[in-house]
Amino acid sequence: PQINLLLSTESRRPSEHLACSQSANAKKQIGRHFRNERLSHFLLLRLPTIVLYPSRHILLHRKMASTITKRSVYLVGLLIVAGSSQYVHSLPGKRLTGATMNRRLANMEYAVRGTVVIAADRIAHELSEKTVEHPFDHILFTNIGNPQSVGQKPLTWPRQVMALADLPDEVGVDHPKAAELFPADAIARAREIKTALGGHGTGAYTHSQGPLAFRRNIAEFIEKRDGGIKSDPSSIFMSNGASAAIQDVLTALIADDKVGVMLPIPQYPIYSATIDLLGGQKVGYYLDEEKGWDLNMAELERSLKQAQDKGINVNSFVLINPGNPTGQVLSKRAVQDIVKFCSKHGLVLLADEVYQENVYDDNAEFYSC
């Protein structure tokens, strides 16, 4: 289907110009409506849409023709050739298709949301609709870190704080019965958050690095965790989850298609997917499965040299500790070795430490870079 927009200044019948229709009957039908009208050369705009009902819009054209001078430009109408596709000239293809889209986006792979998950969604739908029989009655999705999907109850206190922070004061922290509904520490924290947001509420824009009061809280946490080492709030950038931070940093690092980023194998796929999207080079280093997925410094040197020999400008190193998906927790010595390796070769260290609280081995201890 197609929209035809005609603009006219000189005498000419529209039927002479409606070459867009492959059907002689369609041209005759449209021509009859305009037989007594004087048109001109026109502008024909082709859009991938169905157009109008001639009888209604012809009336509009006739009204306009009676009030506008012959030489003025006027809108004749939107002619809709509805019904069978035989009345419609073949239009250019859609502007955005799988063939025309950004090839980097088309080629990137993100297994967490990939083929296996798509198949699981289809099977889950078959189970709910009872259209196909399966030897099980539900799907357990473990492709993402969602402990609640496997039975872990949600943490109550953060939800209480967020509820109070989101609510207007009169029905939240200042409500007469707030103390009966919420614990005192949740109310106190919600008040701190409201103050930190300057009274604008949780839905307002904030500083691009995040509210200063929150960054000070983060700096205090880091200082306490790392034994008193000072942390500067002005050097902290809050993000909408770890994925957004990863994308921001990689976007800054990958200046051209010769830039390489060292990645652990196996790794969380957002790194490889984002590098592909940005046109960079993945430089993989293998974790030692025989030694509990530990790091091997000789392997790091091998991987870096191999990439450099290929002309790749390796400028950064990704460390995931505790490991994802491997779950290993690196020793203090291993973390020190990685920091020294990056310093030696001038590499930006991307330390993914989001699972630092998820240490389940009694003999392991987390150390931050």
Side-chain angles (χ1 to χ4, degrees):
Q2 153 177 358
I3 293 181
N4 297 330
L5 174 64
L6 296 102
L7 300 176
S8 174
T9 56
E10 292 182 357
S11 301
R12 202 167 293 173
R13 294 182 184 277
S15 56
E16 295 174 21
H17 300 285
L18 293 175
C20 60
S21 172
Q22 295 178 342
S23 166
N25 290 334
K27 283 194 284 187
K28 288 179 182 178
Q29 179 183 6
I30 297 169
R32 280 199 300 270
H33 288 287
F34 287 92
R35 191 166 290 128
N36 297 322
E37 305 300 338
R38 299 174 65 77
L39 305 178
S40 89
H41 56 268
F42 57 86
L43 175 65
L44 176 62
L45 300 180
R46 295 179 182 175
L47 301 174
T49 347
I50 290 235
V51 234
L52 1 157
Y53 308 98
S55 59
R56 184 166 122 199
H57 291 272
I58 298 314
L59 178 61
L60 172 64
H61 160 69
R62 287 176 177 165
K63 275 186 183 177
M64 294 174 66
S66 65
T67 58
I68 302 179
T69 61
K70 175 180 175 182
R71 301 296 299 179
S72 63
V73 177
Y74 63 94
L75 173 65
V76 172
L78 294 173
L79 305 179
I80 296 190
V81 184
S84 171
S85 60
Q86 66 177 332
Y87 295 139
V88 182
H89 179 69
S90 59
L91 297 172
K94 292 181 178 179
R95 182 66 66 181
L96 178 61
T97 67
T100 62
M101 69 184 293
N102 184 332
R103 299 321 301 163
R104 291 174 179 173
L105 178 61
N107 293 331
M108 68 181 283
E109 296 182 359
Y110 191 51
V112 170
R113 307 281 185 180
T115 305
V116 173
V117 183
I118 293 171
D121 284 333
R122 173 181 54 78
I123 295 172
H125 179 73
E126 293 170 353
L127 290 170
S128 65
E129 298 296 320
K130 296 182 171 55
T131 56
V132 179
E133 289 189 7
H134 293 282
F136 44 84
D137 58 12
H138 69 284
I139 297 285
L140 186 63
F141 288 85
T142 59
N143 58 302
I144 54 177
N146 183 12
Q148 292 175 34
S149 70
V150 292
Q152 178 175 306
K153 293 185 180 299
L155 299 176
T156 302
W157 192 81
R159 284 163 173 75
Q160 291 171 330
V161 172
M162 287 307 303
L164 289 166
D166 289 339
L167 287 169
D169 290 354
E170 61 272 17
V171 294
V173 291
D174 290 339
H175 191 276
K177 294 187 177 182
E180 298 178 20
L181 300 172
F182 298 92
D185 57 349
I187 296 174
R189 182 56 178 162
R191 290 189 185 279
E192 292 175 5
I193 290 174
K194 285 175 172 286
T195 300
L197 295 174
H200 302 302
T202 56
Y205 288 112
T206 68
H207 190 283
S208 58
Q209 289 179 236
L212 178 57
F214 297 168
R215 286 184 278 130
R216 284 174 175 160
N217 289 158
I218 296 170
E220 290 167 2
F221 163 79
I222 294 173
E223 183 176 339
K224 181 179 179 181
R225 181 196 65 185
D226 295 344
I229 299 174
K230 292 293 183 181
S231 179
D232 183 4
S234 66
S235 297
I236 293 174
F237 288 74
M238 298 175 65
S239 65
N240 184 23
S243 296
I246 292 166
Q247 292 166 350
D248 288 345
V249 174
L250 289 177
T251 299
L253 285 168
I254 299 175
D256 55 54
D257 60 5
K258 295 295 184 182
V259 171
V261 181
M262 294 188 69
L263 299 172
I265 299 175
Q267 50 94 24
Y268 184 66
I270 191 172
Y271 290 99
S272 54
T274 304
I275 292 169
D276 286 341
L277 179 62
L278 296 172
Q281 303 295 321
K282 301 186 294 289
V283 179
Y285 63 88
Y286 288 90
L287 302 176
D288 191 341
E289 185 175 4
E290 298 299 322
K291 295 182 178 179
W293 303 104
D294 200 2
L295 283 167
N296 183 310
M297 298 309 296
E299 166 62 12
L300 300 187
E301 295 287 356
R302 179 209 63 79
S303 174
L304 176 60
K305 185 178 185 306
Q306 184 181 67
Q308 291 174 334
D309 289 345
K310 293 179 181 178
I312 297 174
N313 174 27
V314 181
N315 69 2
S316 47
F317 183 100
V318 173
L319 170 67
I320 306 177
N321 180 42
N324 182 9
T326 51
Q328 88 283 9
V329 181
L330 296 179
S331 66
K332 184 177 182 178
R333 175 63 181 272
V335 173
Q336 290 173 335
D337 286 343
I338 291 165
V339 172
K340 292 176 181 178
F341 174 83
C342 291
S343 177
K344 173 184 174 182
H345 296 288
L347 305 179
V348 176
L349 175 55
L350 282 66
D352 184 336
E353 301 176 342
V354 297
Y355 291 112
Q356 60 190 265
E357 298 293 330
N358 298 75
V359 178
Y360 304 110
D361 184 346
D362 292 337
N363 298 317
E365 183 177 356
F366 169 77
Y367 292 94
S368 173
C369 288

